[in-house]
Amino acid sequence: MLYDSTKVLIRGMLRDMETIETVHWDDQVELGRECLYEMHQMTRPQYKGWRADAKGHSSGVTEFVRATRAIPFVKSMVSAIRRKDHATAVTSGRAALAEM
């Protein structure tokens, strides 16, 4: 659930940066911080205990791995937003969404 809301948040940020002529940079920085917080919550180690088995694991790439791969791109996007670098922010946001 947290994974889906983070993807929606990134999509919303991208939509706003791509469609609105005047980007509200302060709002985008706050949304970016929220997105990073959620991603760090998703990727923190979770204790599985000694009963962890392979039954519940899928063979594909997990949400944990996808979010971990996307974090550097989201950090780059937030950094670009702080600098008000529109092109880099959009490019990094698209890359983050592709990793998710």
Side-chain angles (χ1 to χ4, degrees):
M1 188 147 152
L2 188 58
Y3 179 80
D4 293 330
S5 71
T6 304
K7 281 181 72 171
V8 168
L9 184 58
I10 294 172
R11 279 190 192 121
M13 290 175 68
L14 278 173
R15 184 185 62 244
D16 289 347
M17 286 190 285
E18 291 174 339
T19 59
I20 299 174
E21 277 77 34
T22 57
V23 177
H24 301 287
W25 295 107
D26 293 334
D27 294 340
Q28 293 295 322
V29 169
E30 289 302 316
L31 290 172
R33 286 182 187 158
E34 182 180 333
C35 184
L36 281 171
Y37 177 77
E38 288 180 4
M39 293 178 86
H40 283 289
Q41 290 295 314
M42 282 187 286
T43 60
R44 71 173 186 226
Q46 295 180 354
Y47 178 70
K48 297 290 184 186
W50 62 275
R51 290 188 172 193
D53 57 356
K55 285 192 285 188
H57 297 98
S58 65
S59 60
V61 179
T62 64
E63 293 174 354
F64 169 83
V65 173
R66 286 184 254 165
T68 302
R69 290 179 186 166
I71 286 175
F73 295 109
V74 174
K75 285 182 178 181
S76 174
M77 179 179 68
V78 172
S79 178
I81 290 170
R82 284 188 187 123
R83 293 189 316 268
K84 298 181 182 177
D85 182 357
H86 188 264
T88 304
V90 170
T91 303
S92 296
R94 287 180 184 161
L97 200 54
E99 287 294 334
M100 300 278 294

